[in-house]
């Protein structure tokens, strides 16, 4: 094993078992969809056109039943229905917070569950989606990291979360109706459960589908991928996805980051900053978001704020620093920094010329806030003592 191998073994995607061996069309790239159609009897000469038509029905109009695809011959529709399905994760529960945030628990193959959060704002709406069930990384402040069971989501399950949310907020266009440019679901953040860069291909394929202009058609500038710092995949994200990047930075010395974000032991702060410095140019995107969770007495001193700025300046990274008040969860070994401390920290960053928004906690009453996600079926919680021991803290 090379010294730079991932900190934990990557996990496999278990393909979805479908009724009577039918193939799910959701999550296939255009090329894969075309191949699937040909393989199941669509004449090669027609395949390109049929792919375009079916694609639009699925992703532009939100249709799930082949019978509704009225520009296809009846016999062909029946043939499709015999071979294929259009399937997305099933919503098990939906909770609505006092502030309008919606948290969905969705069931996927194998009886697993993932959480998806919709955050409405005045002029936009953000959907926070998951890329894995659980997470193989064990960031000591993150609830998801305490979940033992992990599996990668398929591309269908990832883009399916977006389709599920569009169903719930009733945002599929109605044929013939005037085009409405104000979207309720205007942004996607890959900030739910899991490390998206440990499930690269599925995340990429799903986001390509979400960006496709003949479908959900979200601009790549409205999609933000958050990573804990899987350095070798950062350049690939720029090239193959081209979305905005957020980085779970959270500490300004390797000593502290090793504890908070253990992947730092593989790729340290300096290596991470080098990878980040090339990202904006390679992806033709703007600033990188540095996410920084505010933990009382751990990473929230004035010196930390100054060091953070020095790191960013040294590498000349166009950045915005998003301060996240720590969201507590049962057994968490940390406390949230005081509001005064967070404001003082933000002010140092602001004085240095960087935007330093403090992330507003949303949906806390339904445990939908950052780092609180963890599926109800897998509450095999570690004890407080075990968590503290792994975080290298005295209890
Ligand atoms: N695995 C990816 C994306 C999911 S986490 C990553 O780590 O970037 C999304 C964001 O929520 C990350 O910045 C993460 O560090 C932060 N987070 C995790 N637990 C949190 C908590 N308890 N309170 C506040 N933010 C938290
Ligand atoms: Fe995984 Fe991200 Fe949580 Fe770390 S912060 S354990 S990488 S989900």
């Amino acid at each position: 094993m090379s010294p730079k191998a991932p900190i934990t073994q990557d996990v496999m995607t278990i393909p979805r078992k479908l009724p009577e061996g039918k193939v799910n069309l959701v999550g296939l790239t255009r090329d894969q969809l075309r191949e699937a159609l040909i393989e199941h009897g669509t004449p090669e000469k027609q395949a390109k056109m049929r792919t375009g038509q079916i694609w639009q029905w699925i992703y532009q109009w939100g249709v799930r039943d082949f019978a509704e695809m009225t520009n296809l011959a009846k016999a062909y529709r029946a043939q499709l229905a015999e071979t294929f399905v259009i399937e997305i994760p099933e919503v098990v529960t939906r909770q609505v917070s006092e502030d309008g945030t919606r948290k969905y628990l969705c069931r996927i193959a194998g009886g697993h569950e993932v959480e998806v959060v919709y955050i409405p704002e005045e002029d936009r709406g953000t959907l926070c989606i998951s890329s894995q069930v659980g997470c193989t990384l064990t960031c000591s402040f993150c609830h998801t990291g305490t979940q033992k069971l992990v599996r990668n989501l398929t591309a269908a399950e990832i883009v399916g979360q977006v389709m599920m949310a569009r169903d719930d907020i009733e945002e599929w266009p109605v044929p013939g109706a005037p085009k409405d440019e104000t979207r309720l679901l205007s942004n996607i953040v890959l900030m739910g459960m899991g490390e998206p860069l440990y499930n690269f291909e599925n995340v990429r394929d799903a986001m390509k589908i979400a960006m496709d202009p003949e479908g959900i058609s979200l601009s790549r500038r409205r999609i933000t991928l958050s990573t804990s710092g899987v350095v070798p995949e950062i350049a690939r994200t720029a090239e193959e996805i081209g979305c905005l990047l957020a980085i779970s930075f959270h500490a300004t010395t390797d000593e502290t980051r090793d504890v908070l974000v253990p992947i730092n032991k593989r790729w340290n702060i300096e290596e991470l900053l080098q990878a980040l410095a090339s990202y904006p140019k390679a992806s033709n995107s703007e600033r990188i978001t540095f996410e920084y969770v505010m933990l009382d007495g751990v990473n929230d001193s004035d010196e930390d704020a100054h060091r953070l700025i020095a790191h960013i300046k040294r590498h000349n990274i166009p950045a915005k620093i998003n301060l996240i008040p720590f969201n507590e969860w049962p057994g968490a070994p940390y406390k949230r920094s005081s509001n005064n401390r967070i404001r003082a920290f933000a002010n140092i960053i602001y004085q240095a010329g960087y935007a330093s928004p403090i992330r507003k906690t949303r949906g806390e009453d339904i445990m939908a806030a950052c780092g609180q996600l963890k599926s109800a079926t897998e509450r095999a919680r570690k004890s407080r003592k075990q968590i503290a021991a792994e975080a290298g803290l005295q209890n």
Side-chain angles (χ1 to χ4, degrees), residues 115-283:
E115 287 172 323
V116 183
V117 180
Y118 172 69
I119 308 149
E121 281 164 281
E122 217 158 86
D123 51 354
R124 62 187 208 161
T126 302
L127 190 71
C128 177
I129 62 173
S130 296
S131 56
Q132 299 182 308
V133 176
C135 184
T136 53
L137 299 169
T138 50
C139 303
S140 51
F141 57 90
C142 174
H143 202 193
T144 306
T146 67
Q147 189 170 315
K148 283 184 183 144
L149 214 119
V150 183
R151 96 150 160 83
N152 276 341
L153 298 189
T154 62
E157 290 161 348
I158 298 168
V159 73
Q161 296 171 53
V162 182
M163 297 163 76
M164 175 280 296
R166 288 195 107 192
D167 286 356
D168 189 56
I169 58 178
E170 296 179 15
E171 199 169 42
W172 296 104
V174 179
K179 209 170 172 199
D180 183 359
E181 291 298 340
T182 50
R183 291 261 199 121
L184 292 173
L185 198 172
S186 58
N187 295 63
I188 295 178
V189 293
L190 279 148
M191 293 187 187
M193 295 162 76
E195 169 48 60
L197 297 188
Y198 269 179
N199 186 14
F200 188 89
E201 283 81 8
N202 290 318
V203 165
R204 175 198 60 202
D205 291 351
M207 291 306 101
K208 287 285 187 198
I209 294 171
M211 290 175 201
D212 189 291
E214 281 178 35
I216 300 165
S217 93
L218 282 175
S219 141
R220 62 187 185 85
R221 289 166 193 278
R222 290 183 174 272
I223 299 178
T224 304
L225 183 150
S226 173
T227 178
S228 57
V230 187
V231 164
E233 304 287 12
I234 288 179
R236 221 177 142 203
T237 306
E239 280 159 32
E240 297 181 32
I241 310 179
C243 58
L244 303 183
L245 188 70
I247 180 82
S248 289
F249 208 69
H250 305 319
T252 60
T253 63
D254 281 324
E255 198 189 354
T256 306
R257 198 164 189 272
D258 280 352
V259 174
L260 298 182
V261 190
I263 201 175
N264 196 67
K265 294 184 209 154
R266 282 288 178 277
W267 298 288
N268 65 21
I269 290 180
E270 208 44 43
E271 291 170 283
L272 176 59
L273 289 166
Q274 279 169 20
L276 295 179
S278 332
Y279 191 87
K281 200 162 165 237
S283 64

Side-chain angles (χ1 to χ4, degrees), residues 190-395:
L190 279 148
M191 293 187 187
M193 295 162 76
E195 169 48 60
L197 297 188
Y198 269 179
N199 186 14
F200 188 89
E201 283 81 8
N202 290 318
V203 165
R204 175 198 60 202
D205 291 351
M207 291 306 101
K208 287 285 187 198
I209 294 171
M211 290 175 201
D212 189 291
E214 281 178 35
I216 300 165
S217 93
L218 282 175
S219 141
R220 62 187 185 85
R221 289 166 193 278
R222 290 183 174 272
I223 299 178
T224 304
L225 183 150
S226 173
T227 178
S228 57
V230 187
V231 164
E233 304 287 12
I234 288 179
R236 221 177 142 203
T237 306
E239 280 159 32
E240 297 181 32
I241 310 179
C243 58
L244 303 183
L245 188 70
I247 180 82
S248 289
F249 208 69
H250 305 319
T252 60
T253 63
D254 281 324
E255 198 189 354
T256 306
R257 198 164 189 272
D258 280 352
V259 174
L260 298 182
V261 190
I263 201 175
N264 196 67
K265 294 184 209 154
R266 282 288 178 277
W267 298 288
N268 65 21
I269 290 180
E270 208 44 43
E271 291 170 283
L272 176 59
L273 289 166
Q274 279 169 20
L276 295 179
S278 332
Y279 191 87
K281 200 162 165 237
S283 64
N284 190 24
S285 67
E286 302 129 32
R287 292 175 300 179
I288 291 181
T289 302
F290 280 67
E291 298 169 283
Y292 200 94
V293 65
M294 297 297 291
L295 304 172
D296 184 32
V298 176
N299 64 354
D300 62 349
S301 67
D302 286 357
E303 291 72 45
D304 279 306
H306 291 296
R307 264 197 302 266
L308 178 60
I309 296 302
H311 283 317
I312 293 170
K313 285 212 158 138
R314 195 170 63 252
H315 288 271
N316 206 8
I317 301 173
K320 138 176 136 185
I321 293 95
N322 202 335
L323 301 178
I324 316 175
F326 173 59
N327 293 311
E328 298 198 5
W329 37 272
Y334 301 107
K335 291 256 164 296
R336 179 186 290 187
S337 308
S338 70
N339 288 344
N340 280 346
R341 182 85 298 266
I342 298 176
R343 273 196 293 269
F345 196 96
N347 198 39
I348 293 173
I349 294 167
Y350 179 74
Q351 295 298 333
Y354 294 89
S356 56
I358 299 168
R359 192 178 286 176
K360 217 171 128 210
T361 298
R362 299 284 304 258
E364 213 176 6
D365 53 330
I366 54 168
M367 285 285 282
C370 303
Q372 291 185 317
L373 303 184
K374 180 170 170 176
S375 63
T377 47
E378 282 153 20
R379 298 251 184 241
R381 238 182 244 139
K382 296 178 186 175
S383 68
R384 182 183 283 266
K385 215 168 137 200
Q386 199 181 347
I387 294 165
E390 283 175 12
L393 299 173
Q394 300 293 316
N395 208 6

